[in-house]
């Protein structure tokens, strides 16, 4: 699994728990001042995932007010952006005379070089991201007002980022420690693309980040439309306003062509259904149609070529 540190303040004396949490925030983000209505017995937990230059820290904590003051900035500034993906609870943040309210599935962004105040409800669950500014190929100096503060994650690049975070923090046993820096690179690219899209400075992004972000968006679209037998490279390209030839060039560095990747995803989804005990009575033809194979013979032939058995024999063997 990934290199991960787990912190819970249950073992800390109740009177020291809030100060201990402030120290955790200092280590994972920057020096801050914290207050809480629950200061007499403050509860918090945090996991810190090592992703190379990027740090990811899922956390749950009780009602809190967090201040990042100009004095603290002068004393210590790690020069990084902090992003919080809100998974549960509510809160808000104030910069100067501007205030934004957050709710579950929202993404909020802070800059360690600017003063701010965050106030949360009770309790709150977030996934915190710390990205050094040097990791983001954006204009080095931006007006504070240009920094995005509140980003929904229902669609677009925000949805890609939310899905990536949710899957990653849910189960880290699928990865090796060496995967950490690679995943950190993917996360940095997604954050850079999100900023560029929001700031309308996408021309500041290097071509390789444009390409990787577009491929992620295309693969998400494909996964969501595997059931449609009309899903072809031509349809994928048209939906994303690119030419079919450019789509094929995007997949040149991938392990499969776009058509092969679509077929692989369909077959893998059908294979999982065939081994699912809850679907044991579902006809094989129904499963085939569900995953974009309207003709049983085509499905059977493609499945046998991929897995060496007919769908019927594969299902029987899995039992």
């Amino acid at each position: 699994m990934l290199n991960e540190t787990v912190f819970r303040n249950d073992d800390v004396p109740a009177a020291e728990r809030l100060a201990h949490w402030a120290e955790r925030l200092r280590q994972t983000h920057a020096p801050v001042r914290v207050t809480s209505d629950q200061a007499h017995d403050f509860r918090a937990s945090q996991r810190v995932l090592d992703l190379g230059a990027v740090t990811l820290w899922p956390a749950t904590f009780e009602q809190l007010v967090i201040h990042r003051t100009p004095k603290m900035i002068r004393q210590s500034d790690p020069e990084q952006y902090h992003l919080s993906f809100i998974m549960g609870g509510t809160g808000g943040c104030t910069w100067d005379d501007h205030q934004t309210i957050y709710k579950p599935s929202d993404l909020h962004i802070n800059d360690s070089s600017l003063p701010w105040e965050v106030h949360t409800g009770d309790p709150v669950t977030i996934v915190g991201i710390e990205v050094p500014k040097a990791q983001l190929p954006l204009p080095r100096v931006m007006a504070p007002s240009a920094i995005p503060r509140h980003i929904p994650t229902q669609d677009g690049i925000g949805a890609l980022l939310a899905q990536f975070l949710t899957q990653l923090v849910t189960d880290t046993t699928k990865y090796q420690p060496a995967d950490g820096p690679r995943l950190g690179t993917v996360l940095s690219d997604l954050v850079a693309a999100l900023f560029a899209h929001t700031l309308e400075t996408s021309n500041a992004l290097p071509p390789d980040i444009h390409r990787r972000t577009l491929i992620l968006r295309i693969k998400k679209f494909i996964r969501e439309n595997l059931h449609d037998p009309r899903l072809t490279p031509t349809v994928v390209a048209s939906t994303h306003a690119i030419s079919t030839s450019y789509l094929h060039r995007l997949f040149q560095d991938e392990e499969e062509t776009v058509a092969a990747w679509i077929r692989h995803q369909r077959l893998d989804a059908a294979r999982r259904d065939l081994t699912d005990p809850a679907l044991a009575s579902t006809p094989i033809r129904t499963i085939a149609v569900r995953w974009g194979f309207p003709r049983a013979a085509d499905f059977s032939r493609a499945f046998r070529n991929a897995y060496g058995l007919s769908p019927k024999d594969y299902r029987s063997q899995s039992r």
Side-chain angles (χ1 to χ4, degrees), residues 16-45:
E16 301 175 14
R17 289 174 181 168
L18 187 61
H20 208 262
W21 183 243
E23 175 61 18
R24 293 299 307 173
L25 294 180
R26 184 193 70 79
Q27 293 181 15
T28 49
H29 175 59
V32 293
R33 184 176 70 246
V34 299
T35 58
S36 174
D37 296 339
Q38 309 294 329
H40 61 285
D41 187 17
F42 183 79
R43 303 278 178 162
S45 63

PDB file of all heavy atoms in Angstrom, residues 16-45:
ATOM      1  N   GLU A  16      -5.270  18.982  25.678  1.00  0.00           N
ATOM      2  CA  GLU A  16      -4.207  19.263  24.719  1.00  0.00           C
ATOM      3  C   GLU A  16      -4.604  18.950  23.275  1.00  0.00           C
ATOM      4  O   GLU A  16      -3.831  19.185  22.354  1.00  0.00           O
ATOM      5  CB  GLU A  16      -2.953  18.454  25.086  1.00  0.00           C
ATOM      6  CG  GLU A  16      -2.421  18.745  26.479  1.00  0.00           C
ATOM      7  CD  GLU A  16      -1.259  17.830  26.841  1.00  0.00           C
ATOM      8  OE1 GLU A  16      -0.718  17.176  25.916  1.00  0.00           O
ATOM      9  OE2 GLU A  16      -0.903  17.763  28.024  1.00  0.00           O
ATOM     10  N   ARG A  17      -5.801  18.410  23.074  1.00  0.00           N
ATOM     11  CA  ARG A  17      -6.155  17.912  21.756  1.00  0.00           C
ATOM     12  C   ARG A  17      -6.258  19.004  20.690  1.00  0.00           C
ATOM     13  O   ARG A  17      -5.859  18.813  19.550  1.00  0.00           O
ATOM     14  CB  ARG A  17      -7.468  17.127  21.833  1.00  0.00           C
ATOM     15  CG  ARG A  17      -7.310  15.801  22.547  1.00  0.00           C
ATOM     16  CD  ARG A  17      -8.631  15.100  22.744  1.00  0.00           C
ATOM     17  NE  ARG A  17      -8.430  13.843  23.456  1.00  0.00           N
ATOM     18  CZ  ARG A  17      -9.405  13.112  23.978  1.00  0.00           C
ATOM     19  NH1 ARG A  17     -10.669  13.522  23.855  1.00  0.00           N
ATOM     20  NH2 ARG A  17      -9.131  11.984  24.592  1.00  0.00           N
ATOM     21  N   LEU A  18      -6.809  20.147  21.044  1.00  0.00           N
ATOM     22  CA  LEU A  18      -6.946  21.218  20.060  1.00  0.00           C
ATOM     23  C   LEU A  18      -5.577  21.740  19.634  1.00  0.00           C
ATOM     24  O   LEU A  18      -5.325  21.951  18.438  1.00  0.00           O
ATOM     25  CB  LEU A  18      -7.802  22.347  20.628  1.00  0.00           C
ATOM     26  CG  LEU A  18      -8.155  23.462  19.635  1.00  0.00           C
ATOM     27  CD1 LEU A  18      -8.957  22.908  18.454  1.00  0.00           C
ATOM     28  CD2 LEU A  18      -8.951  24.569  20.332  1.00  0.00           C
ATOM     29  N   ALA A  19      -4.682  21.933  20.599  1.00  0.00           N
ATOM     30  CA  ALA A  19      -3.339  22.405  20.283  1.00  0.00           C
ATOM     31  C   ALA A  19      -2.595  21.362  19.445  1.00  0.00           C
ATOM     32  O   ALA A  19      -1.827  21.707  18.537  1.00  0.00           O
ATOM     33  CB  ALA A  19      -2.563  22.698  21.561  1.00  0.00           C
ATOM     34  N   HIS A  20      -2.844  20.105  19.734  1.00  0.00           N
ATOM     35  CA  HIS A  20      -2.206  19.036  18.970  1.00  0.00           C
ATOM     36  C   HIS A  20      -2.691  19.048  17.518  1.00  0.00           C
ATOM     37  O   HIS A  20      -1.921  18.805  16.589  1.00  0.00           O
ATOM     38  CB  HIS A  20      -2.508  17.688  19.638  1.00  0.00           C
ATOM     39  CG  HIS A  20      -1.459  16.659  19.401  1.00  0.00           C
ATOM     40  ND1 HIS A  20      -1.567  15.705  18.429  1.00  0.00           N
ATOM     41  CD2 HIS A  20      -0.261  16.440  20.008  1.00  0.00           C
ATOM     42  CE1 HIS A  20      -0.491  14.928  18.440  1.00  0.00           C
ATOM     43  NE2 HIS A  20       0.315  15.347  19.393  1.00  0.00           N
ATOM     44  N   TRP A  21      -3.986  19.333  17.324  1.00  0.00           N
ATOM     45  CA  TRP A  21      -4.521  19.417  15.969  1.00  0.00           C
ATOM     46  C   TRP A  21      -3.942  20.616  15.221  1.00  0.00           C
ATOM     47  O   TRP A  21      -3.664  20.531  14.024  1.00  0.00           O
ATOM     48  CB  TRP A  21      -6.038  19.492  16.006  1.00  0.00           C
ATOM     49  CG  TRP A  21      -6.677  19.518  14.648  1.00  0.00           C
ATOM     50  CD1 TRP A  21      -7.427  20.512  14.110  1.00  0.00           C
ATOM     51  CD2 TRP A  21      -6.617  18.495  13.648  1.00  0.00           C
ATOM     52  NE1 TRP A  21      -7.835  20.183  12.841  1.00  0.00           N
ATOM     53  CE2 TRP A  21      -7.357  18.935  12.533  1.00  0.00           C
ATOM     54  CE3 TRP A  21      -6.009  17.235  13.600  1.00  0.00           C
ATOM     55  CZ2 TRP A  21      -7.502  18.182  11.375  1.00  0.00           C
ATOM     56  CZ3 TRP A  21      -6.157  16.482  12.439  1.00  0.00           C
ATOM     57  CH2 TRP A  21      -6.901  16.954  11.356  1.00  0.00           C
ATOM     58  N   ALA A  22      -3.755  21.726  15.915  1.00  0.00           N
ATOM     59  CA  ALA A  22      -3.123  22.885  15.286  1.00  0.00           C
ATOM     60  C   ALA A  22      -1.719  22.535  14.797  1.00  0.00           C
ATOM     61  O   ALA A  22      -1.290  22.981  13.731  1.00  0.00           O
ATOM     62  CB  ALA A  22      -3.067  24.051  16.271  1.00  0.00           C
ATOM     63  N   GLU A  23      -1.017  21.718  15.572  1.00  0.00           N
ATOM     64  CA  GLU A  23       0.316  21.288  15.162  1.00  0.00           C
ATOM     65  C   GLU A  23       0.242  20.384  13.942  1.00  0.00           C
ATOM     66  O   GLU A  23       1.084  20.470  13.039  1.00  0.00           O
ATOM     67  CB  GLU A  23       1.004  20.564  16.315  1.00  0.00           C
ATOM     68  CG  GLU A  23       2.359  19.950  15.975  1.00  0.00           C
ATOM     69  CD  GLU A  23       3.399  20.971  15.528  1.00  0.00           C
ATOM     70  OE1 GLU A  23       3.218  22.179  15.796  1.00  0.00           O
ATOM     71  OE2 GLU A  23       4.389  20.553  14.896  1.00  0.00           O
ATOM     72  N   ARG A  24      -0.777  19.524  13.885  1.00  0.00           N
ATOM     73  CA  ARG A  24      -0.949  18.684  12.707  1.00  0.00           C
ATOM     74  C   ARG A  24      -1.186  19.539  11.460  1.00  0.00           C
ATOM     75  O   ARG A  24      -0.623  19.274  10.399  1.00  0.00           O
ATOM     76  CB  ARG A  24      -2.143  17.733  12.892  1.00  0.00           C
ATOM     77  CG  ARG A  24      -1.976  16.680  13.958  1.00  0.00           C
ATOM     78  CD  ARG A  24      -0.834  15.755  13.685  1.00  0.00           C
ATOM     79  NE  ARG A  24      -0.898  15.165  12.351  1.00  0.00           N
ATOM     80  CZ  ARG A  24       0.073  14.418  11.819  1.00  0.00           C
ATOM     81  NH1 ARG A  24       1.193  14.218  12.500  1.00  0.00           N
ATOM     82  NH2 ARG A  24      -0.052  13.896  10.617  1.00  0.00           N
ATOM     83  N   LEU A  25      -2.005  20.579  11.576  1.00  0.00           N
ATOM     84  CA  LEU A  25      -2.264  21.469  10.445  1.00  0.00           C
ATOM     85  C   LEU A  25      -1.001  22.226  10.038  1.00  0.00           C
ATOM     86  O   LEU A  25      -0.771  22.468   8.855  1.00  0.00           O
ATOM     87  CB  LEU A  25      -3.382  22.451  10.795  1.00  0.00           C
ATOM     88  CG  LEU A  25      -4.773  21.834  11.021  1.00  0.00           C
ATOM     89  CD1 LEU A  25      -5.780  22.921  11.368  1.00  0.00           C
ATOM     90  CD2 LEU A  25      -5.239  21.063   9.787  1.00  0.00           C
ATOM     91  N   ARG A  26      -0.186  22.591  11.032  1.00  0.00           N
ATOM     92  CA  ARG A  26       1.080  23.259  10.717  1.00  0.00           C
ATOM     93  C   ARG A  26       1.977  22.338   9.895  1.00  0.00           C
ATOM     94  O   ARG A  26       2.618  22.762   8.927  1.00  0.00           O
ATOM     95  CB  ARG A  26       1.806  23.678  11.993  1.00  0.00           C
ATOM     96  CG  ARG A  26       3.098  24.469  11.734  1.00  0.00           C
ATOM     97  CD  ARG A  26       3.943  24.598  12.975  1.00  0.00           C
ATOM     98  NE  ARG A  26       4.518  23.302  13.342  1.00  0.00           N
ATOM     99  CZ  ARG A  26       5.576  22.752  12.756  1.00  0.00           C
ATOM    100  NH1 ARG A  26       6.190  23.370  11.758  1.00  0.00           N
ATOM    101  NH2 ARG A  26       6.027  21.586  13.157  1.00  0.00           N
ATOM    102  N   GLN A  27       2.003  21.058  10.259  1.00  0.00           N
ATOM    103  CA  GLN A  27       2.875  20.119   9.564  1.00  0.00           C
ATOM    104  C   GLN A  27       2.361  19.770   8.170  1.00  0.00           C
ATOM    105  O   GLN A  27       3.152  19.547   7.253  1.00  0.00           O
ATOM    106  CB  GLN A  27       3.018  18.837  10.394  1.00  0.00           C
ATOM    107  CG  GLN A  27       3.771  19.026  11.697  1.00  0.00           C
ATOM    108  CD  GLN A  27       3.905  17.736  12.477  1.00  0.00           C
ATOM    109  OE1 GLN A  27       3.687  16.641  11.962  1.00  0.00           O
ATOM    110  NE2 GLN A  27       4.254  17.846  13.749  1.00  0.00           N
ATOM    111  N   THR A  28       1.047  19.715   8.020  1.00  0.00           N
ATOM    112  CA  THR A  28       0.498  19.305   6.731  1.00  0.00           C
ATOM    113  C   THR A  28       0.157  20.487   5.821  1.00  0.00           C
ATOM    114  O   THR A  28      -0.027  20.282   4.616  1.00  0.00           O
ATOM    115  CB  THR A  28      -0.763  18.438   6.917  1.00  0.00           C
ATOM    116  OG1 THR A  28      -1.662  19.075   7.840  1.00  0.00           O
ATOM    117  CG2 THR A  28      -0.395  17.075   7.464  1.00  0.00           C
ATOM    118  N   HIS A  29       0.020  21.681   6.373  1.00  0.00           N
ATOM    119  CA  HIS A  29      -0.269  22.841   5.529  1.00  0.00           C
ATOM    120  C   HIS A  29       0.651  24.009   5.860  1.00  0.00           C
ATOM    121  O   HIS A  29       1.633  24.247   5.178  1.00  0.00           O
ATOM    122  CB  HIS A  29      -1.727  23.256   5.669  1.00  0.00           C
ATOM    123  CG  HIS A  29      -2.064  24.508   4.929  1.00  0.00           C
ATOM    124  ND1 HIS A  29      -1.903  24.630   3.556  1.00  0.00           N
ATOM    125  CD2 HIS A  29      -2.520  25.719   5.365  1.00  0.00           C
ATOM    126  CE1 HIS A  29      -2.248  25.853   3.171  1.00  0.00           C
ATOM    127  NE2 HIS A  29      -2.622  26.532   4.248  1.00  0.00           N
ATOM    128  N   ALA A  30       0.342  24.732   6.920  1.00  0.00           N
ATOM    129  CA  ALA A  30       1.107  25.914   7.299  1.00  0.00           C
ATOM    130  C   ALA A  30       0.678  26.313   8.709  1.00  0.00           C
ATOM    131  O   ALA A  30      -0.362  25.864   9.201  1.00  0.00           O
ATOM    132  CB  ALA A  30       0.844  27.059   6.315  1.00  0.00           C
ATOM    133  N   PRO A  31       1.459  27.165   9.391  1.00  0.00           N
ATOM    134  CA  PRO A  31       1.054  27.608  10.724  1.00  0.00           C
ATOM    135  C   PRO A  31      -0.296  28.311  10.702  1.00  0.00           C
ATOM    136  O   PRO A  31      -0.558  29.162   9.849  1.00  0.00           O
ATOM    137  CB  PRO A  31       2.172  28.586  11.122  1.00  0.00           C
ATOM    138  CG  PRO A  31       3.362  28.121  10.340  1.00  0.00           C
ATOM    139  CD  PRO A  31       2.811  27.649   9.035  1.00  0.00           C
ATOM    140  N   VAL A  32      -1.162  27.928  11.631  1.00  0.00           N
ATOM    141  CA  VAL A  32      -2.490  28.519  11.751  1.00  0.00           C
ATOM    142  C   VAL A  32      -2.847  28.645  13.227  1.00  0.00           C
ATOM    143  O   VAL A  32      -2.223  28.035  14.096  1.00  0.00           O
ATOM    144  CB  VAL A  32      -3.566  27.653  11.043  1.00  0.00           C
ATOM    145  CG1 VAL A  32      -3.351  27.640   9.541  1.00  0.00           C
ATOM    146  CG2 VAL A  32      -3.584  26.238  11.598  1.00  0.00           C
ATOM    147  N   ARG A  33      -3.874  29.459  13.498  1.00  0.00           N
ATOM    148  CA  ARG A  33      -4.422  29.562  14.850  1.00  0.00           C
ATOM    149  C   ARG A  33      -5.810  28.945  14.827  1.00  0.00           C
ATOM    150  O   ARG A  33      -6.609  29.235  13.936  1.00  0.00           O
ATOM    151  CB  ARG A  33      -4.501  31.024  15.295  1.00  0.00           C
ATOM    152  CG  ARG A  33      -4.976  31.194  16.742  1.00  0.00           C
ATOM    153  CD  ARG A  33      -4.944  32.640  17.197  1.00  0.00           C
ATOM    154  NE  ARG A  33      -5.964  33.452  16.540  1.00  0.00           N
ATOM    155  CZ  ARG A  33      -5.713  34.443  15.708  1.00  0.00           C
ATOM    156  NH1 ARG A  33      -4.463  34.746  15.395  1.00  0.00           N
ATOM    157  NH2 ARG A  33      -6.701  35.143  15.171  1.00  0.00           N
ATOM    158  N   VAL A  34      -6.106  28.091  15.796  1.00  0.00           N
ATOM    159  CA  VAL A  34      -7.389  27.390  15.801  1.00  0.00           C
ATOM    160  C   VAL A  34      -8.137  27.652  17.102  1.00  0.00           C
ATOM    161  O   VAL A  34      -7.540  27.781  18.166  1.00  0.00           O
ATOM    162  CB  VAL A  34      -7.209  25.866  15.598  1.00  0.00           C
ATOM    163  CG1 VAL A  34      -6.562  25.575  14.265  1.00  0.00           C
ATOM    164  CG2 VAL A  34      -6.394  25.252  16.728  1.00  0.00           C
ATOM    165  N   THR A  35      -9.458  27.727  16.993  1.00  0.00           N
ATOM    166  CA  THR A  35     -10.344  27.795  18.152  1.00  0.00           C
ATOM    167  C   THR A  35     -11.532  26.880  17.876  1.00  0.00           C
ATOM    168  O   THR A  35     -11.833  26.567  16.724  1.00  0.00           O
ATOM    169  CB  THR A  35     -10.848  29.235  18.406  1.00  0.00           C
ATOM    170  OG1 THR A  35     -11.527  29.704  17.225  1.00  0.00           O
ATOM    171  CG2 THR A  35      -9.706  30.169  18.743  1.00  0.00           C
ATOM    172  N   SER A  36     -12.183  26.426  18.945  1.00  0.00           N
ATOM    173  CA  SER A  36     -13.314  25.519  18.767  1.00  0.00           C
ATOM    174  C   SER A  36     -14.234  25.584  19.968  1.00  0.00           C
ATOM    175  O   SER A  36     -13.784  25.760  21.107  1.00  0.00           O
ATOM    176  CB  SER A  36     -12.818  24.080  18.584  1.00  0.00           C
ATOM    177  OG  SER A  36     -13.905  23.164  18.548  1.00  0.00           O
ATOM    178  N   ASP A  37     -15.530  25.427  19.707  1.00  0.00           N
ATOM    179  CA  ASP A  37     -16.493  25.308  20.796  1.00  0.00           C
ATOM    180  C   ASP A  37     -16.312  24.004  21.558  1.00  0.00           C
ATOM    181  O   ASP A  37     -16.824  23.851  22.663  1.00  0.00           O
ATOM    182  CB  ASP A  37     -17.929  25.380  20.246  1.00  0.00           C
ATOM    183  CG  ASP A  37     -18.240  26.729  19.619  1.00  0.00           C
ATOM    184  OD1 ASP A  37     -17.536  27.705  19.949  1.00  0.00           O
ATOM    185  OD2 ASP A  37     -19.173  26.802  18.798  1.00  0.00           O
ATOM    186  N   GLN A  38     -15.593  23.059  20.925  1.00  0.00           N
ATOM    187  CA  GLN A  38     -15.350  21.754  21.538  1.00  0.00           C
ATOM    188  C   GLN A  38     -13.929  21.667  22.107  1.00  0.00           C
ATOM    189  O   GLN A  38     -13.383  20.568  22.254  1.00  0.00           O
ATOM    190  CB  GLN A  38     -15.536  20.650  20.487  1.00  0.00           C
ATOM    191  CG  GLN A  38     -16.831  20.710  19.720  1.00  0.00           C
ATOM    192  CD  GLN A  38     -18.032  20.447  20.601  1.00  0.00           C
ATOM    193  OE1 GLN A  38     -17.945  19.713  21.568  1.00  0.00           O
ATOM    194  NE2 GLN A  38     -19.161  21.050  20.273  1.00  0.00           N
ATOM    195  N   ALA A  39     -13.330  22.812  22.437  1.00  0.00           N
ATOM    196  CA  ALA A  39     -11.934  22.828  22.864  1.00  0.00           C
ATOM    197  C   ALA A  39     -11.671  21.954  24.085  1.00  0.00           C
ATOM    198  O   ALA A  39     -10.562  21.458  24.280  1.00  0.00           O
ATOM    199  CB  ALA A  39     -11.498  24.268  23.146  1.00  0.00           C
ATOM    200  N   HIS A  40     -12.694  21.753  24.931  1.00  0.00           N
ATOM    201  CA  HIS A  40     -12.504  20.963  26.148  1.00  0.00           C
ATOM    202  C   HIS A  40     -12.289  19.487  25.850  1.00  0.00           C
ATOM    203  O   HIS A  40     -11.719  18.761  26.677  1.00  0.00           O
ATOM    204  CB  HIS A  40     -13.720  21.123  27.065  1.00  0.00           C
ATOM    205  CG  HIS A  40     -15.005  20.659  26.447  1.00  0.00           C
ATOM    206  ND1 HIS A  40     -15.658  21.397  25.475  1.00  0.00           N
ATOM    207  CD2 HIS A  40     -15.728  19.534  26.625  1.00  0.00           C
ATOM    208  CE1 HIS A  40     -16.746  20.749  25.103  1.00  0.00           C
ATOM    209  NE2 HIS A  40     -16.807  19.613  25.770  1.00  0.00           N
ATOM    210  N   ASP A  41     -12.739  19.028  24.669  1.00  0.00           N
ATOM    211  CA  ASP A  41     -12.580  17.613  24.314  1.00  0.00           C
ATOM    212  C   ASP A  41     -12.654  17.486  22.800  1.00  0.00           C
ATOM    213  O   ASP A  41     -13.525  16.819  22.249  1.00  0.00           O
ATOM    214  CB  ASP A  41     -13.664  16.772  24.996  1.00  0.00           C
ATOM    215  CG  ASP A  41     -13.446  15.286  24.801  1.00  0.00           C
ATOM    216  OD1 ASP A  41     -12.316  14.901  24.439  1.00  0.00           O
ATOM    217  OD2 ASP A  41     -14.400  14.512  24.993  1.00  0.00           O
ATOM    218  N   PHE A  42     -11.697  18.127  22.126  1.00  0.00           N
ATOM    219  CA  PHE A  42     -11.720  18.194  20.670  1.00  0.00           C
ATOM    220  C   PHE A  42     -11.323  16.854  20.067  1.00  0.00           C
ATOM    221  O   PHE A  42     -10.340  16.240  20.478  1.00  0.00           O
ATOM    222  CB  PHE A  42     -10.764  19.290  20.188  1.00  0.00           C
ATOM    223  CG  PHE A  42     -10.760  19.487  18.700  1.00  0.00           C
ATOM    224  CD1 PHE A  42     -11.770  20.201  18.094  1.00  0.00           C
ATOM    225  CD2 PHE A  42      -9.742  18.944  17.924  1.00  0.00           C
ATOM    226  CE1 PHE A  42     -11.773  20.397  16.714  1.00  0.00           C
ATOM    227  CE2 PHE A  42      -9.741  19.137  16.550  1.00  0.00           C
ATOM    228  CZ  PHE A  42     -10.750  19.857  15.949  1.00  0.00           C
ATOM    229  N   ARG A  43     -12.072  16.394  19.064  1.00  0.00           N
ATOM    230  CA  ARG A  43     -11.803  15.106  18.421  1.00  0.00           C
ATOM    231  C   ARG A  43     -11.432  15.329  16.956  1.00  0.00           C
ATOM    232  O   ARG A  43     -12.087  16.094  16.238  1.00  0.00           O
ATOM    233  CB  ARG A  43     -13.035  14.201  18.481  1.00  0.00           C
ATOM    234  CG  ARG A  43     -13.543  13.957  19.889  1.00  0.00           C
ATOM    235  CD  ARG A  43     -12.758  12.877  20.584  1.00  0.00           C
ATOM    236  NE  ARG A  43     -13.208  12.661  21.945  1.00  0.00           N
ATOM    237  CZ  ARG A  43     -12.937  11.572  22.653  1.00  0.00           C
ATOM    238  NH1 ARG A  43     -12.205  10.609  22.111  1.00  0.00           N
ATOM    239  NH2 ARG A  43     -13.359  11.452  23.892  1.00  0.00           N
ATOM    240  N   ALA A  44     -10.394  14.617  16.519  1.00  0.00           N
ATOM    241  CA  ALA A  44      -9.964  14.735  15.130  1.00  0.00           C
ATOM    242  C   ALA A  44      -9.175  13.494  14.741  1.00  0.00           C
ATOM    243  O   ALA A  44      -8.544  12.846  15.579  1.00  0.00           O
ATOM    244  CB  ALA A  44      -9.100  15.980  14.931  1.00  0.00           C
ATOM    245  N   SER A  45      -9.225  13.161  13.471  1.00  0.00           N
ATOM    246  CA  SER A  45      -8.413  12.075  12.919  1.00  0.00           C
ATOM    247  C   SER A  45      -7.929  12.479  11.544  1.00  0.00           C
ATOM    248  O   SER A  45      -8.571  13.271  10.842  1.00  0.00           O
ATOM    249  CB  SER A  45      -9.209  10.770  12.843  1.00  0.00           C
ATOM    250  OG  SER A  45     -10.312  10.901  11.964  1.00  0.00           O
TER     251      SER A  45
END
